[in-house]
Amino acid sequence: MENNEKTTLRQAIHFAKVPVIISLFLSPTRYTLELIGLPENVIFIIGLLWLTLGFAIYLGIKTFNKKMPYRILLLSLAIFSPISRVPVAILWWVDTKWEIGTHYGLYYDNFGEALLNHVIYGSLVQLIPAFILGSITIALMRYRKQSQKINL
C-alpha cells in the first residue's frame, strides 16, 4: 500500500472512531427506551441513520480541504456503517431468543438472515445517503472557500 493510501486509511479510521463508539451505545439505548414503553415516534430520532447523516456532514466539513476528501468520506463511512449495525443484529437475537417483542425482533427467521440484512443491507441504507450528503457538504465547503478567495 502506498504512503498516500495508508494516510487516507488512517484518516478514515481516525474520523470513524468516535461515531463507532457512539453507535455501540445508541442501539442499546433505543432498545431500552422501547422496553420502557416510549412510543416509536418519540424514539425515532435516536437512530443510526440520523447519526450517520450527521457524521457525513461533519466529515464533509472536516475533510473538504484535505487531499482526497471523497475517499476519506467513503472509507470512514465504510468502516463505521457495518460496525454500527452489529448491535442491531445482536438485539434482534436477544429479542427473538427471549421473545421480548420489540421492533428489533421483527422480519427475520434466523440469525444469519438478520445479520445479513442488518449489517450488509442496513450498512448500504446508511452509506448511500450519507455519502451523497457528505459529498454535497464537501462541494459546498469548497465552493464557499473559493468564493471567499474571489471576494478578497
Side-chain angles (χ1 to χ4, degrees), residues 30-89:
R30 183 174 173 165
Y31 185 80
T32 302
L33 292 173
E34 190 174 335
L35 287 176
I36 290 170
L38 289 177
E40 180 64 28
N41 62 350
V42 173
I43 58 175
F44 174 73
I45 195 71
I46 302 170
L48 290 175
L49 182 58
W50 304 118
L51 174 63
T52 307
L53 295 176
F55 176 42
I57 293 168
Y58 169 78
L59 273 175
I61 293 167
K62 288 301 234 181
T63 65
F64 82 95
N65 59 357
K66 296 197 180 295
K67 189 176 183 181
M68 297 188 271
Y70 297 98
R71 186 178 291 180
I72 295 168
L73 171 67
L74 185 59
L75 283 172
S76 294
L77 291 169
I79 292 165
F80 163 76
S81 291
I83 296 170
S84 73
R85 303 295 304 172
V86 169
V88 178

Side-chain angles (χ1 to χ4, degrees), residues 95-149:
D95 199 70
T96 56
K97 172 89 172 150
W98 286 284
E99 299 176 357
I100 296 171
T102 70
H103 85 278
Y104 287 87
L106 301 175
Y107 308 116
Y108 310 111
D109 296 326
N110 59 59
F111 187 68
E113 202 175 282
L115 193 63
L116 174 72
N117 281 284
H118 284 305
V119 176
I120 305 300
Y121 175 68
S123 291
L124 290 174
V125 168
Q126 285 176 225
L127 196 133
I128 293 168
F131 184 71
I132 293 168
L133 185 58
S135 295
I136 291 169
T137 304
I138 290 169
L140 288 173
M141 294 299 292
R142 287 182 162 186
Y143 175 78
R144 183 173 169 231
K145 184 179 179 180
Q146 191 70 346
S147 294
Q148 287 174 346
K149 281 183 183 178

